[in-house]
Amino acid sequence: MSHLKIKGIIDNIKERTNVYTPLIEAIVNSIEGIDEAGRNDGEIKIVLKRKAATTDLFDNSALPDIFSIEVHDNGIGFNQKNRDSFDTLYSDLKIKKGGKGFGRFIFLKYFENVKIESIYKNDDQYFSRNFDFGKNEEIIENEVCAETLSTNENRTILFLENLRDKKLDKKIETIDIMT
């Protein structure tokens, strides 16, 4: 069994990326998941998590820094085909759409922790699949997959936690322009 050196992959990402690239990647993935599900009522919700507000006697309008982002969608979810593709370096599943099979590593370049919570349908049953993005030698870590009765709709939540050294613009208008 061969292992990956995920830190090396992340350190060698040479494409022009910036702190907004993971958000764009997440939105594109959500759009593709909604398209694959054949939904006409697709929905993507972006939740910005901010640090606790500080009391600044001189500036009551100062916004706290964004430290984490959640991207919710109601696309196809992490069914077995998508999970197996995700767990394959340079997967060709999305190659016809321009995917290169390593976008998931961009999330780890900018965020300390990244995880997925997904509900998907297989035949007539719904399953829940949760996992962390690996940072050492495995792409998927701490995976839990089980049948669930808690919902009758597909959904995926991508958690981008603890932004690394860079900062996102604090104004929500900056994010709104991109979506």
Side-chain angles (χ1 to χ4, degrees):
M1 171 188 256
S2 63
H3 293 282
L4 301 173
K5 296 294 183 193
I6 292 176
K7 184 177 180 337
I9 294 168
I10 294 166
D11 290 345
N12 286 309
I13 293 175
K14 301 290 187 211
E15 289 190 21
R16 290 178 278 163
T17 65
N18 62 44
V19 69
Y20 296 101
T21 305
L23 185 56
I24 294 166
E25 179 77 18
I27 293 168
V28 169
N29 289 344
S30 291
I31 291 168
E32 290 173 347
I34 291 166
D35 184 54
E36 187 178 346
R39 296 191 77 121
N40 293 325
D41 62 344
E43 182 175 285
I44 301 170
K45 180 172 88 171
I46 299 169
V47 179
L48 305 175
K49 302 285 185 170
R50 296 182 185 275
K51 293 183 178 179
T54 59
T55 32
D56 183 345
L57 298 174
F58 302 106
D59 186 7
N60 289 335
S61 66
L63 285 172
D65 289 336
I66 297 166
F67 70 95
S68 294
I69 301 173
E70 294 176 8
V71 180
H72 302 237
D73 72 58
N74 60 351
I76 194 85
F78 270 83
N79 58 25
Q80 193 62 42
K81 177 181 77 168
N82 289 334
R83 183 258 182 241
D84 291 346
S85 173
F86 183 88
D87 199 28
T88 304
L89 182 62
Y90 297 116
S91 166
D92 60 1
L93 181 67
K94 295 183 180 182
I95 203 160
K96 290 181 181 176
K97 296 179 181 182
K100 297 176 184 172
F102 68 88
R104 61 198 163 276
F105 299 109
I106 291 172
F107 298 133
L108 288 170
K109 181 175 177 91
Y110 293 97
F111 291 88
E112 291 287 334
N113 299 304
V114 182
K115 64 183 181 179
I116 292 286
E117 290 181 6
S118 185
I119 295 178
Y120 64 94
K121 188 174 184 181
N122 184 20
D123 296 325
D124 291 330
Q125 296 175 304
Y126 283 90
F127 292 85
S128 171
R129 173 172 279 130
N130 303 327
F131 61 87
D132 299 327
F133 285 37
K135 296 184 238 178
N136 296 310
E137 296 179 346
E138 301 296 329
I139 295 174
I140 293 176
E141 293 181 346
N142 306 315
E143 182 177 26
V144 176
C145 186
E147 186 175 353
T148 183
L149 303 173
S150 65
T151 186
N152 60 354
E153 181 157 321
N154 292 2
R155 73 165 191 251
T156 298
I157 305 171
L158 170 68
F159 296 89
L160 302 169
E161 300 176 334
N162 302 317
L163 185 63
R164 292 185 190 268
D165 306 323
K166 311 279 186 200
K167 289 191 177 191
L168 290 167
D169 192 317
K170 293 190 224 182
K171 299 177 297 191
I172 191 69
E173 293 82 15
T174 304
I175 305 294
D176 286 342
I177 291 169
M178 295 172 35
T179 59

